[in-house]
Amino acid sequence: MTDLLQHQIDYYRARAPEYDEWFYRLGRYDRGEAHTRQWELEAQQVRDQLRSQAGFAHILELAPGTGIWTGELIQIGRRVTAVDASPEMININRAKLQSDRVEYQRADLFAWQPEQQYDMVFFGFWLSHVPAEKLTAFLNAVNAALKPGGRLFMVDSRARDLATAHTGAEDLGTDLQKRVLKDGRRFDIVKIYYEPAELSEILRGHGFAIEATSTDNFFLYADGVKAT
């Protein structure tokens, strides 16, 4: 498992320069105008839900990547602490946002423990990369990072992305995928797809009053609070 998780970190470090192509449906991920339009409509649905509450003093973002969601968080919070294992992702995020309201920390999230509590915790497209045997420890750390009544918001993939499959990605059985970069390098990573009811039950079992839902095709998201 240690080798697999290091492989996953190596993958996202190497993928950093091309990560935005996936989210914005560019290059290898362009499946046509109708697909892109539907993707953008559903992404906006998630953004609208995220923006439905604002005024947070301090937000913690785990696995912020290139800043796609960090840019949203600085619209609803005064400060953001962004924690990622990849210096390449952090560098892109910092250059993109150029915000003195974002503090960056480099850490392996499977070893990370919070040193304070926050008004909100957010993670995007991360939970699906947490192996089942690490899930409880990770969610316990998230719970510890939230103030009582603090907001938890997460977004992830609803199901297998046909555009990603077009790049040569392969399922390797339960909870594993092989991913291929543009230069042909291949990496094995954890990838778990949750259903809304299943995810709701898991999060509630770890101390959150929360409801997971999905968009029509692409996204799974959950919005709730730390139970008091």
Side-chain angles (χ1 to χ4, degrees):
M1 179 56 68
T2 300
D3 289 345
L4 175 62
L5 296 181
Q6 184 58 54
H7 213 221
Q8 185 164 270
I9 291 173
D10 294 342
Y11 168 69
Y12 277 99
R13 292 189 65 178
R15 190 187 177 196
E18 59 187 77
Y19 184 87
D20 282 2
E21 295 180 9
W22 166 75
F23 191 79
Y24 296 111
R25 307 281 94 174
L26 302 174
R28 299 189 299 160
Y29 305 97
D30 183 355
R31 309 308 301 145
E33 183 178 347
H35 172 97
T36 299
R37 183 168 55 250
Q38 186 62 34
W39 175 279
E40 291 174 347
L41 284 171
E42 294 183 27
Q44 189 60 47
Q45 180 181 333
V46 179
R47 291 190 195 98
D48 289 344
Q49 181 63 33
L50 178 62
R51 295 170 182 170
S52 66
Q53 299 179 50
F56 298 95
H58 198 174
I59 299 173
L60 173 66
E61 183 180 14
L62 302 175
T66 61
I68 292 167
W69 298 97
T70 317
E72 297 293 328
L73 297 177
I74 59 176
Q75 305 303 314
I76 64 171
R78 292 196 291 275
R79 295 171 57 207
V80 175
T81 294
V83 183
D84 203 294
S86 166
E88 293 81 3
M89 290 286 193
I90 288 173
N91 289 340
I92 292 171
N93 190 315
R94 181 184 284 115
K96 183 187 293 185
L97 296 183
Q98 299 186 33
S99 173
D100 60 6
R101 294 192 291 117
V102 183
E103 174 195 0
Y104 297 94
Q105 297 178 8
R106 183 182 176 189
D108 177 353
L109 292 180
F110 296 118
W112 166 87
Q113 289 294 320
E115 297 179 351
Q116 66 182 90
Q117 290 189 312
Y118 300 84
D119 302 285
M120 177 178 173
V121 175
F122 174 93
F123 41 93
F125 301 94
W126 167 248
L127 197 69
S128 58
H129 298 305
V130 178
E133 56 266 47
K134 299 282 188 179
L135 184 61
T136 289
F138 172 70
L139 291 177
N140 285 345
V142 171
N143 187 288
L146 262 180
K147 295 177 180 178
R151 186 186 190 191
L152 174 64
F153 193 105
M154 60 146 292
V155 57
D156 216 307
S157 306
R158 177 183 176 187
R160 287 162 179 77
D161 183 353
L162 295 179
T164 298
H166 184 70
T167 67
E170 303 174 40
D171 288 330
L172 299 177
T174 304
D175 302 346
L176 292 176
Q177 282 186 347
K178 186 177 292 296
R179 295 283 184 86
V180 185
L181 297 179
K182 287 196 295 186
D183 63 10
R185 283 179 291 170
R186 296 171 178 268
F187 297 83
D188 295 346
I189 67 165
V190 176
K191 187 66 176 179
I192 301 171
Y193 297 95
Y194 293 99
E195 293 295 331
E198 175 192 17
L199 181 59
S200 296
E201 183 177 357
I202 290 169
L203 295 174
R204 290 169 187 160
H206 287 85
F208 303 101
I210 197 165
E211 185 73 31
T213 188
S214 64
T215 62
D216 287 343
N217 300 280
F218 303 116
F219 303 111
L220 173 71
Y221 63 97
D223 188 9
V225 297
K226 177 177 177 175
T228 56

